[in-house]
Structure formats: structure tokens, C-alpha cells
Amino acid sequence: MDNDILAGLNESQRAAVTTTEGYIRVIAGAGTGKTRALTHRYAYLVREYGIAPSNILCITFTNKAANEMKRRIKGMLGEEFDTSFVATLHAFCTRILREEITKLFYPDNFIVLDNLDQKRILEEVYDEMGIKMDTASFKFMIDQIRYYKNLITYVEYLSDPDFDYSALTSEKPSDEIIFRYIKKQRKYFGLDFFDLINFVIYLFRRYPDVLEKWQQRLCYIMVDEFQDITAKEFKLIRRLSEYNRNLFVVGDPDQNIYEWRGANMSVIVDFEGWLNNPCFEHQYGLRAKDIFLEENYRSSEPVLAAANALISHNRNRVEKTLYTKKPGGARVVCLHAKNDKEEIGYICREIRNHVAAGGKYADFAVLYRSGYVSRFVESGFLAENIPYTVYGGVGFYERAEIKDVLSYMRLVDRPDDDLSFKRICNVPRRKLGKAKLAALTLYAEEHKLSLYESLRALCETEQFRASGAKQFVSVMDALRAQRETLSVSELLQAILAQTGYELYIRESGDIERLDNTTELLRSIVTQEAEFGEHLSLSAFLQQMTLLRDSDAEDTCDRVKIMTIHTSKGLEFDRVFLVGMTEGIFPSARSLEERRHEALEEERRLCFVAMTRARHRLYLTESEGFGVKGFSKVPSRFIEDFVRDTDPAFLDCVGTVPHDLREEQALQAKHFDREDGEIFHVGDQLRHKGFGEGIVERVDEKTRTYFIRFVNGVRPISFDYPGIAHIF
């Protein structure tokens, strides 16, 4: 036995490394050294059993993870070892297809299409069909193509050189775009990421000898992040393991945060059941061995106590408890603030105090559920000159939709702002492209006018008549006439509605962009309240310019701010989990779409965020105006772990008022309401505004409840969110 490979491993890790044969499921909690177990197992198979690396497949889910595993393996075995089969599933499928795809009448030098390639093909299709394309419609169509390609049958005609593509017909324009896209794929011999797995599955089904060759080659198969696997991916991996029956999977059901994009939780939770799924033709009655990695090497005892208490509320999981042999550590802080300003003020003071004591800004990470929550964090950091970087994303004020609406506001304030005009004159599309903009620029230079004034002069000429120029000028002039009478927040709402920008975002299907404009509106309402007198449009825009221009000097020592999804796989000394408000986290939209499944996934997401912290964890929330017209109340997730965690591990700062406690219960009941539930005559309800009442009549035709309250009967819409049963 090679003591170098097994040295430093705990008992569970050692079991994972040395248990080499059969079907093995390793449930590896956050920070328990799963990558260490995987890489040492790989080295153990090579060094102790003499298995060639070309006979070991190790699947990871990101290129970054694959490269890190290769680095560690070569550190143990030597640089000369070939680790090319340590790869993402897409990279491995590409490897198979390079060897086998000629059987499907594709050349072995086929092109793997990236995002830009896909866009270029779609641009060709749109040009042929006379359709104008923008970023939003591109994203929408890629999603539609992905849904279509979930049906593997399309591979049949892509791999048939004699297929008649004219046979693909549909009355839906989106289907016609998809068919043309696929036809062009074939013409260029290109496969996008959706195709790689589908082509391999089809290849194995059509050519059993090819499947058998790869089954025999891969003596040992290991899969990392198994909780994120899709049913289709498992089907492929399970098939590859049928000959040698050595499949080793590592994952944590409590860290599955990608169900919304296809990850199937039941594959890891019911691993043995999936191994014996009737969809597989052979080898029923397979047994699997379980190994648990629960000793955490990352987080302090208070952090683990809170995280364990939170996740214990989920039902769909494999039970385990994270622990550390290093007791002690700072208490987990739960902050309830009176408003956003107080919340970010507390965060800034904690960071300042740490830095003053000799620490670094880079010791901190600020995590949030949705991108728009970063607005108040960025604003606070800019105002306090705290250096930060948006990790894996774009800063709030740098997002395209925020720049767009601020450009509209600037043009309302100053019609001579040519930069703002150029940005938004054709957003949404108004047939004011490069040629017309060039003509406007020439006219403006000749007549010493702004571009907007030039458009007003030319909008009814023959060159501009077929465009949306006249309507654009009319809307902008009307908005300018209202700027003295409307508040800034009212003006923003008018801009979104009258220019068509809000409809443009809604039609794009990108809900996050809509959330960002809503957050900007909310921040303006807050500023107006704090300003104490009429906040003029010019003063607001000047404030925005100063805010964005006050960015701290460039330095590597910065606070990292990011979404929780971006933080997966990372760890930080000190973590602020902000915006812990019901409806924001858990997300109201997710709960409405997927109910209980979404609630458990949201809780797993919170668990992931909490376990990013090594030494100190803060969870913060504040009062104010929340989602769907509700008041902001603390997230139920705070209640989940506060109730079940040893008080010695917690430090609760601020007091939640009694009325917010009642509101919190009301909101939780609303968001938990089952799809299609309607109230009935005699049901006792609590209304957000009217208090307690009883249902006297239900009119399903008009979708109205008639509810008797203390002050009389009121008609309440089925769709109103602020009512719930009294239990």
C-alpha cells in the first residue's frame, strides 16, 4: 500500500479511495474534501492497481474543476501521465465523436459551435426570413432550440446525408427558424453543446459495437458533482459502466441548485433505484455501497451548526450532519435593519473595523439571491469608498437595461445629449439603423443641431417615414413636457411604458432584466423619501453620475460581490448573505412556478451560501417595500435555523416588530399556497389590509371572493396575493 497516497486522509476519505470495485455512492458534504478523495482514488488505481489512465474516466462539470483535478493528479503521479480522460462530459463526448462520428456521415474534424457561432447561424436564418434580430430574441431562440433538442430523434435526420429538409414544416415561425438552424448546422458540419451528448447516445444505440468498445475501454468511471446530473447524462454514464460495473459517484444532494435547468435530484437520492431503472436493458438487481464524508475542513462550528439546522427542514435529501474537529469560532450574526441604508451601513462598518484591525477587504464576500439585490450594496460601497469587484457578473449600474433607462432619462432632461440618443434611439427597434444615424449626424453637423433635434426636423421626410422616428419624437416630447410635474419615479414608470421599453424586456423573456429596472425604480422611491423635498430629474441624474464616477482606485484588495450561484465551489473568510427577505429569498417567482420543489431548492441554495464561510457568517435583511406589494419581512430561512440552533452560536442584532412577524406568517402562507387552490364559502381568512374575514360567496366566472370583514363585505380578486387561511 502506498502510504503517500493515503497519508492525511480521514477514515471516510480512505474508504472512498480504497473501495475500488462496484457501484459506489459517496455523499460528500460541503468542505469535506471530495476533490481530495477523487484525485487520490485516481492515483491509487494507477499506482497500486496498475490501471492505465486511458482506462479511467473522471467526469467533472466545469473545465476549471477538471484542470484542478489534473494538476493534483500529476502532482502525485508525475507530469508524464496522460490525464485527458479527466474532463467535462461535453469534452469526453467530443473525444468519442472525433473517433466515431464518420459513421454518422460527419467528418472527424467537425466544428464544435460556441455561443458566437450559434448567433452567427441564427443571424443568417433571420436574414433569409427577413426578421430583425437582437440580443433578447437570440437568447429566446437558443432556449427554444434547446427544448427542441431534448428530443433525440432530430439526430436521425442530421446524420442522414440524403434527408429532405423540406419535409420539416410547421405553421409556427419559431419552428421554421429551428429547422433552418439545424439545416445550416448540417451544412457546416457543426455541433453545438446540446448536440454532443445526443449524438453519442444515438451513436451507441445505432452501433452496439461502438458502445461495447468504449465500455470495455473504461474500466473505472468516476463522476464528480453528481447531484447536478440530468437524467439523460446519467443514462449515458450508466450505459458506459455496464461492462465493467465500476461506477463511483460523488455529490451532495443538499447542494443541488440546478433543478431549474434539468438537474435531477432523484438520481443521487435514489441512486440504487436509478441503477435498476427498467429503461436499461441489462443488469437488474445491482447493489450500491454508500460512503459518507461529513467532517468539514472549511467552516467554523457556529457556521456548520446554523447550516445543519437550516437544511434539516428539507425532506428530499440524504440525511447527514456536517461537523468539525476544530471547535469555537465567531457567532453567526443575524441582522434586522430598519431600511437598506441601515443594512449597508452595518456591513460597511464591519468591513472597516476588520481592515482597521489589520485585515483585508478581500477577506469578505457579499452574496445575494438575485442580481438586482446588488444595487444597494454597490451604492453603499461606492458612497463609502470601499473597493469591490462584481465576481462573475456585471455591476448593477453597468447592466445594459440600467444604462438604457438612464439614457432615456438623460435625453428627457437634455435633448442635446447625443451619447444618450445614440444608445436608445433604436432600443426597442425603430428602424433607425446605421445608415439613418449617419444621415442624422451629417444633418446635425451641417445645421449645428443635436441628433434629437435633427430627427425632429427629418422624421416626416421620405427617408424616415417608414421608421418609428415620428412616434419616438412624439413620445419623447410628451415626456419632456411632464418632467416638471412628475416625480422622478413616476417619470421612470412613464418612460418604461410609453417608449415600449418595458414591453421589449418582457417579450425577451429575460426576467432578471425586468427585476433590475424594478429595483432601480424602488431605489428612486427610497431616494425621494430620503431627499425630503422634490427631487428634480437633473439632481437625480447628477447623483447617479457622481455615484458611478466615485469608484475606488484600482486594487486587488477588494470585497467580492456575487450571486450565490456564482459562489458555488468557492470559499471566503467572511461572508455577508444579504437581502434575506421573504419573496426575495426564497424567490417568490420560483415558489409560484414550482412550489414545494422550489422551496427545497431555494433552501439548498441558502445552505450553499452559508457554507461558503470559513470563519464568520452574517445574514442581513431590512424593512421597507418588498415584492408584489408586500412589506419586507425576514426570510423564513432565518427562522428555520434560528429556531433549531444553539443560541450560543448566534448573535441576533435588531428586533423584528410584532406586526412584521404577523406579516411574515401571512406571506409564507401565501407563497406556500398550492397551484389551483381556491377558497370556499365559510373559509376564515386573513387579509393584508382588512384583517380577518369569512368567505360568503365565490364567483368563479368573475374570479372574485366576497368576504365579510368587520367593515362589511368586500369583493377580492382570486389573483390578489395578500389573503391566506387562518389556521
Side-chain angles (χ1 to χ4, degrees):
M1 183 177 294
D2 193 314
N3 291 325
D4 290 342
I5 292 175
L6 298 180
L9 300 178
N10 64 36
E11 186 177 342
S12 296
Q13 291 171 335
R14 186 178 290 242
V17 170
T18 58
T19 306
T20 61
E21 308 304 304
Y23 290 91
I24 303 155
R25 176 181 69 166
V26 177
I27 301 297
T32 58
K34 69 177 180 63
T35 304
R36 183 177 174 84
L38 274 163
T39 53
H40 281 245
R41 186 176 193 268
Y42 187 108
Y44 186 82
L45 286 169
V46 173
R47 184 78 58 81
E48 292 300 306
Y49 280 48
I51 305 298
S54 59
N55 298 122
I56 304 173
L57 172 64
C58 185
I59 294 295
T60 68
F61 276 76
T62 66
N63 287 316
K64 180 181 178 182
N67 291 334
E68 173 61 18
M69 290 182 72
K70 289 179 180 182
R71 185 188 67 78
R72 294 196 194 187
I73 289 167
K74 288 188 174 184
M76 288 183 280
L77 297 178
E79 289 294 327
E80 71 276 9
F81 279 85
D82 177 15
T83 55
S84 58
F85 275 1
V86 178
T88 66
L89 191 57
H90 289 106
F92 174 65
C93 286
T94 303
R95 172 76 176 265
I96 293 175
L97 293 173
R98 292 288 182 212
E99 291 189 29
E100 314 289 355
I101 202 170
T102 53
K103 292 179 175 62
L104 300 180
F105 300 98
Y106 268 68
D108 56 14
N109 62 344
F110 65 90
I111 300 169
V112 178
L113 303 171
D114 61 17
N115 197 261
L116 186 58
D117 295 323
Q118 289 177 282
K119 185 174 182 180
R120 285 170 178 162
I121 292 176
L122 273 177
E123 284 174 344
E124 291 181 26
V125 172
Y126 276 47
D127 285 344
E128 291 173 0
M129 297 178 68
I131 300 172
K132 294 295 183 183
M133 181 179 181
D134 56 30
T135 302
S137 60
F138 166 71
K139 182 180 182 301
F140 173 79
M141 277 313 306
I142 290 298
D143 286 342
Q144 294 301 303
I145 291 168
R146 184 180 72 243
Y147 297 145
Y148 179 81
K149 287 185 174 181
N150 278 331
L151 306 171
I152 303 180
T153 50
Y154 78 96
V155 181
E156 280 189 51
Y157 51 82
L158 263 182
S159 59
D160 180 357
D162 300 319
F163 183 78
D164 181 9
Y165 286 89
S166 64
L168 296 174
T169 57
S170 173
E171 294 182 1
K172 290 174 61 179
S174 60
D175 284 353
E176 179 64 22
I177 293 170
I178 292 170
F179 298 153
R180 289 180 182 239
Y181 174 92
I182 288 175
K183 184 179 179 180
K184 285 186 178 293
Q185 266 193 267
R186 171 68 193 184
K187 175 184 174 184
Y188 298 133
F189 293 118
L191 302 183
D192 58 35
F193 274 29
F194 311 140
D195 300 320
L196 295 172
I197 294 173
N198 288 341
F199 265 65
V200 171
I201 291 174
Y202 178 75
L203 178 75
F204 285 168
R205 189 169 65 224
R206 186 169 178 182
Y207 297 98
D209 58 316
V210 175
L211 170 60
E212 186 177 352
K213 181 181 86 174
W214 283 93
Q215 286 176 333
Q216 292 181 9
R217 179 184 294 186
L218 302 173
C219 298
Y220 294 90
I221 299 174
M222 298 190 285
V223 185
D224 190 14
E225 301 288 5
F226 194 67
Q227 76 278 352
D228 295 331
I229 201 166
T230 68
K232 184 183 292 184
E233 289 165 348
F234 177 73
K235 182 178 181 180
L236 173 58
I237 290 167
R238 162 66 168 73
R239 187 135 287 166
L240 284 167
S241 73
E242 284 177 353
Y243 183 83
N244 287 293
R245 303 192 188 187
N246 291 320
L247 177 59
F248 177 91
V249 302
V250 184
D252 181 6
D254 292 338
Q255 295 187 74
N256 176 308
I257 58 175
Y258 295 116
E259 273 192 321
W260 55 274
R261 70 181 191 194
N264 192 321
M265 269 280 289
S266 67
V267 180
I268 188 169
V269 172
D270 184 24
F271 180 55
E272 197 167 274
W274 273 80
L275 282 175
N276 295 292
N277 192 303
C279 73
F280 299 109
E281 298 173 5
H282 309 293
Q283 303 173 5
Y284 295 110
L286 297 175
R287 303 303 300 271
K289 179 175 182 178
D290 285 336
I291 298 171
F292 287 79
L293 302 185
E294 297 175 283
E295 183 179 353
N296 181 282
Y297 294 93
R298 175 191 301 155
S299 301
S300 66
E301 192 175 13
V303 170
L304 294 179
N308 284 329
L310 171 80
I311 204 62
S312 68
H313 289 264
N314 272 12
R315 295 199 296 267
N316 186 23
R317 64 188 295 257
V318 178
E319 190 170 342
K320 68 177 186 315
T321 302
L322 296 177
Y323 68 91
T324 178
K325 291 183 177 178
K326 298 182 292 185
R331 293 180 175 188
V332 173
V333 175
C334 297
L335 170 72
H336 174 79
K338 290 297 181 183
N339 48 51
D340 286 356
K341 190 174 182 180
E342 187 177 301
E343 184 178 355
I344 191 61
Y346 177 90
I347 293 169
C348 290
R349 284 194 302 277
E350 286 293 300
I351 294 173
R352 288 278 190 221
N353 291 340
H354 176 74
V355 172
K360 297 180 179 179
Y361 291 109
D363 293 336
F364 290 91
V366 178
L367 311 182
Y368 37 81
R369 169 62 179 89
S370 300
Y372 67 87
V373 178
S374 75
R375 192 276 313 163
F376 89 97
V377 178
E378 292 186 60
S379 297
F381 283 176
L382 289 168
E384 292 295 323
N385 203 34
I386 289 179
Y388 74 90
T389 183
V390 180
Y391 194 94
V394 179
F396 183 83
Y397 296 105
E398 298 305 311
R399 292 178 171 102
E401 58 276 10
I402 301 302
K403 285 187 171 183
D404 287 345
V405 294
L406 289 176
S407 291
Y408 269 112
M409 296 174 86
R410 287 192 181 91
L411 195 62
V412 169
D413 189 49
R414 285 186 49 194
D416 62 343
D417 185 343
D418 286 351
L419 286 176
S420 294
F421 177 88
K422 288 178 182 178
R423 181 173 183 91
I424 50 86
C425 68
N426 205 35
V427 182
R429 289 187 178 276
R430 302 184 177 93
K431 297 183 179 179
L432 295 174
K434 292 180 180 178
K436 290 186 176 65
L437 192 57
L440 274 180
T441 303
L442 183 61
Y443 185 89
E445 289 173 352
E446 289 176 351
H447 295 82
K448 294 183 170 39
L449 297 172
S450 70
L451 293 176
Y452 180 74
E453 291 169 325
S454 300
L455 186 65
R456 183 191 283 119
L458 299 174
C459 65
E460 296 197 59
T461 63
E462 185 175 348
Q463 184 178 10
F464 287 86
R465 198 169 293 144
S467 71
K470 184 176 180 181
Q471 183 186 15
F472 177 64
V473 169
S474 175
V475 167
M476 295 304 294
D477 282 349
L479 289 167
R480 274 189 56 74
Q482 299 175 74
R483 71 190 175 106
E484 296 299 333
T485 56
L486 295 180
S487 67
V488 178
S489 58
E490 290 169 337
L491 183 63
L492 174 56
Q493 292 177 77
I495 287 171
L496 291 170
Q498 295 174 32
T499 65
Y501 193 83
E502 182 175 4
L503 180 62
Y504 160 73
I505 293 180
R506 287 186 183 278
E507 288 179 342
S508 76
D510 193 337
I511 300 300
E512 185 175 347
R513 298 180 71 196
L514 190 64
D515 287 342
N516 288 336
T517 59
T518 303
E519 176 62 18
L520 179 65
L521 176 62
R522 195 183 75 83
S523 73
I524 293 172
V525 171
T526 301
Q527 286 181 57
E528 288 171 336
E530 292 175 350
F531 200 70
E533 55 187 73
H534 179 65
L535 176 66
S536 70
L537 178 60
S538 297
F540 165 74
L541 292 172
Q542 184 179 27
Q543 206 171 4
M544 285 294 99
T545 302
L546 290 173
L547 185 65
R548 293 171 66 192
D549 287 347
S550 65
D551 202 355
E553 62 181 89
D554 189 26
T555 171
C556 292
D557 185 19
R558 292 170 174 262
V559 178
K560 296 181 178 68
I561 67 176
M562 68 192 78
T563 64
I564 300 169
H565 282 95
T566 301
S567 76
K568 179 77 184 296
L570 303 175
E571 56 185 72
F572 312 94
D573 279 352
R574 289 163 167 75
V575 169
F576 286 99
L577 181 50
V578 302
M580 290 296 295
T581 299
E582 191 70 21
I584 296 176
F585 199 15
S587 161
R589 184 175 293 116
S590 295
L591 296 187
E592 287 170 357
E593 290 174 353
R594 294 170 48 234
R595 297 297 172 179
H596 181 71
E597 291 79 8
L599 178 59
E600 294 221 340
E601 181 165 357
E602 292 285 302
R603 192 176 281 114
R604 292 193 297 270
L605 191 58
C606 189
F607 174 81
V608 166
M610 294 170 75
T611 54
R612 298 311 93 196
R614 286 192 286 256
H615 305 306
R616 197 85 197 261
L617 173 64
Y618 304 80
L619 296 99
T620 73
E621 48 84 21
S622 56
E623 299 174 24
F625 173 74
V627 299
K628 288 185 168 291
F630 284 118
S631 298
K632 289 172 68 180
V633 299
S635 167
R636 71 183 77 185
F637 294 157
I638 294 179
E639 298 298 313
D640 281 352
F641 72 80
V642 167
R643 184 169 58 249
D644 299 331
T645 303
D646 185 338
F649 292 142
L650 298 175
D651 185 8
C652 296
V653 180
T655 302
V656 181
H658 180 69
D659 61 330
L660 282 190
R661 291 287 187 196
E662 292 186 341
E663 176 75 7
Q664 183 182 36
L666 177 68
Q667 290 188 30
K669 286 178 182 177
H670 163 69
F671 291 132
D672 286 345
R673 189 185 303 165
E674 293 297 323
D675 289 327
E677 177 186 0
I678 62 172
F679 301 116
H680 301 92
V681 172
D683 284 356
Q684 290 182 291
L685 308 177
R686 179 178 286 107
H687 184 283
K688 180 175 180 287
F690 297 134
E692 295 183 6
I694 188 168
V695 180
E696 290 196 344
R697 182 162 65 89
V698 178
D699 188 334
E700 295 193 17
K701 188 173 291 186
T702 61
R703 293 177 56 79
T704 303
Y705 303 114
F706 291 86
I707 305 174
R708 179 168 295 281
F709 299 99
V710 173
N711 295 324
V713 176
R714 298 288 185 271
I716 307 297
S717 168
F718 278 18
D719 298 322
Y720 176 67
I723 52 175
H725 273 120
I726 299 173
F727 294 99

